Amino acid sequence: MTEYANTNKEVVLSIKDLVVKFSLRGRILKAIREISLDLYRGESLAIVGESGSGKSVFTKTFNGMLDSNGFIEQGSITYNGMDLTKFKKEKDWLQIRGGEIAMVFQDPMTSLNPLKTIGTQICEAILLHNKDVTPQQAKQKAVEYIADVGIEEPLRRSNQFPHEFSGGMRQRIVIAIAMACNPKILICDEPTTALDVTIQAQILGLLKDLKDKYNLTIVYITHDLGVVAAVADRVAVMYAGDIVEIGEVREVFYNAQHPYTWALLSSLPQLGVKGEKLFAIRGTPPNLFQEVRGDAFAPRNPNALKIDFVERPPYFPVPGSSTHKARTWLLDPRAPKVEPPSAIKAIGGDYNAL
């Protein structure tokens, strides 16, 4: 089922019925299971879920960064009239990667060359994607980008090496390199996980400022619902290679519908009640080497219905919203009324307190 239409926003990237598989030790693993999603220009979308839910794999298909044993079996990824699933050669992806869709990873030291100065590395990105820029102009632009990400004394800093920067500053430089490519979409894969809380807030604030300044579409991959509350316009909840719930951030925090979303929200330490144990999701995700039957979360869901073990639920629109939907049989008019956990009620929708 495709994304609900939003006539007020421009679709910049459209994914339809995407299936991604991996060949591992002679077996096939189905990592992404028929996902459809539209990204809108200028929005921030957060993709959340447990480790192994498929968040990073899903977004790597946008710029051809799947591991060599991974492949797209079906579906389309449409960008600027091109179906990116048809790209087979590295030279095809070079017109997309960086210049159109850029990526910021969790550990900046894996993205920076320790043997080259910061300025040189930013210049390389500028020259690669701007053929009409001279090396001298690129040096000047590199200094401007360093200043743009909030680093003082940008000219002096441009002549330094990565080891001379703190972790937060290195992450700012990685963002500067990504921005030097003038992308339309910026994918941030756990961009603040390795940083302390104060620096996290600074980096998230920087990304919000850059989004507004350059009208970027930003996709955040995270397991931290506090990050979601701080930066996202919309939230997509992923489980076992599927988006099980999607909606505007207030809708998902105020009015979560899927039992897996309830479980994620209940797991927040901020929701713990004094004297009671913190909530933990029992069980483990399904084995994706095998075909998933019914609702993938059913074995871990204490409120699962009989049909959850038999038939995969379609997306149901959440009453009163044109942007919120969830893949759960609980939204079927015939389903019994199941109340969310008490911890979800206790939050009262106050996600700003996270």
Side-chain angles (χ1 to χ4, degrees):
M1 185 174 181
T2 56
E3 182 76 18
Y4 290 120
N6 188 327
T7 56
N8 296 322
K9 296 183 179 180
E10 177 189 353
V11 175
V12 64
L13 184 77
S14 183
I15 302 99
K16 305 296 182 187
D17 302 320
L18 187 68
V19 174
V20 177
K21 294 184 175 181
F22 288 85
S23 176
L24 296 167
R25 298 180 293 278
R27 302 174 68 191
I28 298 297
L29 183 146
K30 191 175 183 180
I32 300 298
R33 302 186 298 125
E34 297 92 26
I35 287 183
S36 294
L37 175 72
D38 287 341
L39 289 180
Y40 302 116
R41 187 173 302 282
E43 78 162 341
S44 293
L45 172 73
I47 303 178
V48 301
E50 294 170 285
S51 296
S53 60
K55 306 184 297 296
S56 295
V57 169
F58 178 47
T59 53
K60 283 181 178 179
T61 63
F62 301 173
N63 54 10
M65 294 184 68
L66 280 178
D67 293 341
S68 58
N69 63 332
F71 59 95
I72 296 174
E73 184 181 68
Q74 73 172 52
S76 63
I77 304 172
T78 304
Y79 179 79
N80 275 353
M82 299 178 289
D83 183 355
L84 305 187
T85 65
K86 305 300 183 185
F87 286 6
K88 303 301 180 184
K89 298 179 180 179
E90 185 67 12
K91 67 177 183 179
D92 296 328
W93 285 110
L94 291 179
Q95 61 182 310
I96 298 295
R97 190 183 302 139
E100 299 291 334
I101 303 175
M103 204 156 189
V104 174
F105 294 99
Q106 176 178 332
D107 183 1
M109 283 306 286
T110 62
S111 303
L112 296 174
N113 187 332
L115 302 179
K116 294 183 178 181
T117 65
I118 293 300
T120 297
Q121 295 184 61
I122 299 177
C123 282
E124 288 176 346
I126 294 172
L127 293 170
L128 179 63
H129 297 282
N130 297 274
K131 302 302 182 182
D132 56 340
V133 175
T134 67
Q136 187 58 40
Q137 291 172 326
K139 289 182 181 179
Q140 180 59 40
K141 284 182 174 290
V143 174
E144 293 173 3
Y145 280 116
I146 294 172
D148 218 17
V149 296
I151 293 180
E152 297 180 354
E153 301 182 84
L155 180 58
R156 180 176 70 87
R157 288 293 195 176
S158 69
N159 294 311
Q160 294 182 325
F161 292 86
H163 73 270
E164 298 179 80
F165 289 71
S166 67
M169 292 173 70
R170 286 196 289 263
Q171 192 63 293
R172 289 175 184 267
I173 293 301
V174 171
I175 294 171
I177 293 173
M179 294 307 302
C181 301
N182 294 317
K184 308 300 185 299
I185 300 173
L186 183 64
I187 301 169
C188 298
D189 192 348
E190 301 278 8
T192 61
T193 299
L195 306 174
D196 65 55
V197 175
T198 302
I199 304 302
Q200 281 185 21
Q202 294 176 6
I203 296 298
L204 293 176
L206 168 64
L207 288 168
K208 287 181 71 174
D209 291 342
L210 292 173
K211 180 183 85 72
D212 294 338
K213 181 175 181 179
Y214 294 102
N215 196 29
L216 279 173
T217 298
I218 299 184
V219 178
Y220 294 93
I221 303 170
T222 183
H223 63 271
D224 187 340
L225 291 176
V227 169
V228 173
V231 301
D233 299 315
R234 285 195 303 155
V235 182
V237 181
M238 281 195 71
Y239 183 75
D242 190 16
I243 294 176
V244 297
E245 183 164 1
I246 187 168
E248 294 181 356
V249 65
R250 287 183 174 271
E251 293 173 327
V252 174
F253 276 92
Y254 277 137
N255 192 28
Q257 297 294 318
H258 197 282
Y260 179 61
T261 312
W262 293 349
L264 287 180
L265 291 171
S266 298
S267 301
L268 285 169
Q270 291 86 345
L271 301 183
V273 179
K274 187 176 181 180
E276 294 185 8
K277 292 182 179 180
L278 293 175
F279 178 85
I281 306 175
R282 295 181 178 180
T284 58
N287 181 355
L288 296 181
F289 281 111
Q290 301 173 354
E291 190 67 26
V292 177
R293 187 179 182 188
D295 185 337
F297 189 62
R300 307 174 72 185
N301 178 13
N303 298 309
L305 308 175
K306 288 184 179 180
I307 194 172
D308 283 322
F309 295 93
V310 177
E311 187 176 344
R312 186 186 189 190
Y315 285 117
F316 289 94
V318 177
S321 173
S322 62
T323 55
H324 189 189
K325 63 179 180 177
R327 193 187 281 278
T328 172
W329 286 114
L330 292 178
L331 286 173
D332 189 297
R334 299 166 293 178
K337 181 68 174 178
V338 176
E339 293 291 333
S342 57
I344 301 298
K345 297 178 181 179
I347 195 174
D350 186 17
Y351 63 85
N352 291 314
L354 297 177

